[in-house]
Amino acid sequence: MNRAAAVNKKDALFVLNNLLEMHPMRKDAYYGSLRTLGLIIIDDRRFFHLPIDADAELRTLPAADFERCAALLCMLLREDHWFENAFDERLVEGWPQRIVKRMIALLEEQKNTEQ
């Protein structure tokens, strides 16, 4: 299933922009936004080689499509489960914010091509 096609672009832009504007440094806000948009990725084997090298996967962000961006965010949330405070460190590095900005850019690009 292509999650990008299933997401209402207007709603997704609202949720993601709100995340960056209001709660850019809160882990629970990232999880809540993904859940709200139906973008919690359970089967990460579709996106990543196991064992997952998070740093290597993050380097793929510039070419990532919308669904892979959601998978990258889920990967960072899972990383925090295994390594306490890992998400907080990624927040300081700016990775979750960069992923969300990429998601917003992709949605805006799709919206502009559909008009």
Side-chain angles (χ1 to χ4, degrees):
M1 174 179 129
N2 183 348
R3 291 170 191 263
V7 171
N8 178 303
K9 289 171 187 57
K10 184 178 175 185
D11 292 343
L13 283 168
F14 176 80
V15 169
L16 295 172
N17 278 309
N18 184 61
L19 172 62
L20 287 182
E21 291 173 21
M22 305 298 289
H23 311 289
M25 300 299 284
R26 287 187 44 214
K27 174 177 69 174
D28 61 325
Y30 285 86
Y31 178 79
S33 295
L34 288 173
R35 189 182 66 230
T36 296
L37 296 172
L39 295 174
I40 300 292
I41 308 260
I42 305 291
D43 182 16
D44 54 8
R45 291 177 189 191
R46 287 183 39 224
F47 299 94
F48 310 121
H49 299 289
L50 300 179
I52 296 173
D53 178 348
D55 292 318
E57 298 298 346
L58 288 170
R59 287 192 293 273
T60 68
L61 179 61
D65 65 11
F66 188 82
E67 193 172 19
R68 181 163 177 83
C69 288
L72 288 169
L73 274 178
C74 289
M75 174 193 73
L76 293 182
L77 290 165
R78 273 195 204 91
E79 179 184 45
D80 190 73
H81 174 78
W82 297 108
F83 305 104
E84 189 173 346
N85 297 321
F87 197 84
D88 293 335
E89 292 174 20
R90 297 291 188 182
L91 282 169
V92 171
E93 295 169 357
W95 281 109
Q97 302 92 320
R98 279 182 254 173
I99 295 168
V100 171
K101 287 177 183 175
R102 171 86 177 142
M103 294 171 84
I104 290 169
L106 290 167
L107 287 171
E108 288 175 343
E109 184 180 296
Q110 285 180 347
K111 195 171 103 177
N112 289 339
T113 59
E114 290 173 356
Q115 293 178 348

